[in-house]
Structures are given as C-alpha cells and as structure tokens.
Amino acid sequence: MSNDTRVKLSVVIPAYNEEFRLPDTLRHSIAFLKSQPYSSEIIVANDGSTDGTERVVREQADSFERLTLIHHPDRGNHGKGAAIRLGMMAATGAYRLFMDADNSTTLNQIENFWPWFDRGYDVVIGSRALKESVIGTRQNRLKEIAGRMGNWVIRTFAVPGVQDTQAGFKMLTGDKAAVIFPRSTIDRWGYDIEMLVIARAHGCRIAELPIRWINAEGSKVRMSTYFEVLGEVFKIRRNLHAGLYK
C-alpha cells in the first residue's frame, strides 16, 4: 500500500444481521485492497443488527487498519438507504463505492470503473441488464419478472436510459457524494433511484457498466419490496418537481 495518508477509495458496506455473509465479503475485500497501490478504507454501516454483525467486524479489524464500524445515533434499524447515507457521509475517500454485504458483486470489479472516471464521469454504476453482464445464480422467476416490470416503471418515470438502477454496486467521486447524500431522503429500497435522480439534477455524468453478479442466499428483498420501491419512485418524482434536490 502507498504511504500516502490520503484515502483514495472508501468502500461502504451496509449491514443488517449479516454475521454469516459478511465475513467472506470482508476477507475478499480486504485482500483486494491490500494488493492495491493506493490508500483505502472500509466502512461497515450497521443498520441496527441484533446478531453477531458487530463481532464479525471487530474480529477482522486487526487485519485492516482502516476498517471502521459505524451505527445510527440511536443504533436502530432505519433501512439500507439510511445505512448507505450514513456510511457515505462518514467516508473520506476521493472516490466512494457502496457494495452489498453478500459479495454478490466482488470488489475487484472496480478495476473496470476507474477508466470512466478518467474520462470525466462522476458516477459509475454496475448493471446486470447489459448484454455483457454475467449473471451467475439467478433470482427466482417471480422476482425476475417483478424486477423487469419495476425497472420499466423506474426508467419511464424516474431515470430514463438507465437499464438497471438496483444493483448494489455504485461508485462516485467524493465531491459528488458530498452533494448527493445530504439531499437524499429515501431510507429503504428506493435509495439507488433517488441517488441517480439527484445526480442528474446536479449535472453528473453517469456511466452504466456490466458486472458479474451472483444471487446470494439470504436476500432480504421480498416480493413486497418491489411494490414499496414503486411507491418511492413517485415520492422521488414529487421531490424532484418540488425542487427539494437542488
């Protein structure tokens, strides 16, 4: 690792009762970051876990100096969006990525992201919907159908042109993170959509890139989640038209 004390990359991992899936994710991510020439940090944003999530993070803290566990002030469960906001606003990196605790998209895939920042893009998002995307273990059929229908609504009413707003692997510059996340209001599943809407409202250039993605067991996404997201799409539209994101 470089002796440069400035953090180039912050990795934010939201976690709610992830004691079984988080250990491998942390091990793989730490190994990757240690092999890089730049300084980095990992922030696990604990969203009110009641299991051994906190213990898991503390057990691995000795293997990576900049592994930090943070909580909401009340230590409650507020939703994935709230946890990501918490982590992004605590991050110090010149670039900031959030990824899922289940390692469905592995951290080494950011190697494909860096060139797009060099080209002047502000936000680079992973996508499962592009021709070059590689999907390993798939979701069940009903979830896939619901996801496609939901994506159509999202593209039509919120983020035209983006094929997959929901993959939990998104990276942006620290400067843009400081603009976007203080303005975000969605605490639960529609946070990705709101982030992209706010980014566009502030003139960000967004690149959507293919990723390798595996549906991990233990997902907390339920069928009802898709309906919740659709409701949040219309809340985001109201916020946008009311000028709340400016």
Side-chain angles (χ1 to χ4, degrees), residues 92-105:
T92 61
Y95 299 88
R96 302 176 191 180
L97 169 107
F98 63 81
M99 63 180 290
D100 289 337
D102 62 10
N103 214 29
S104 54
T105 303

Side-chain angles (χ1 to χ4, degrees), residues 183 201-202 236-246:
R183 291 171 167 81
H202 287 268
I236 292 165
R237 277 177 60 87
R238 288 195 302 271
N239 289 349
L240 179 64
H241 293 311
L244 297 184
Y245 296 139
K246 288 292 188 181

Side-chain angles (χ1 to χ4, degrees), residues 81-82 85 154 158-159 165-166 170 180-202 206 229 232-233 235-237 239-240 244-245:
R85 184 189 311 123
I154 292 164
V159 196
T165 61
Q166 302 305 103
K170 293 180 173 64
I180 293 168
F181 286 96
R183 291 171 167 81
S184 68
T185 65
I186 301 295
D187 286 345
R188 296 200 178 272
W189 299 105
Y191 66 90
D192 307 70
I193 306 162
E194 186 180 44
M195 170 192 149
L196 295 174
V197 168
I198 297 171
R200 280 190 169 170
H202 287 268
I206 301 171
V229 170
E232 289 175 342
V233 166
K235 177 182 177 182
I236 292 165
R237 277 177 60 87
N239 289 349
L240 179 64
L244 297 184
Y245 296 139

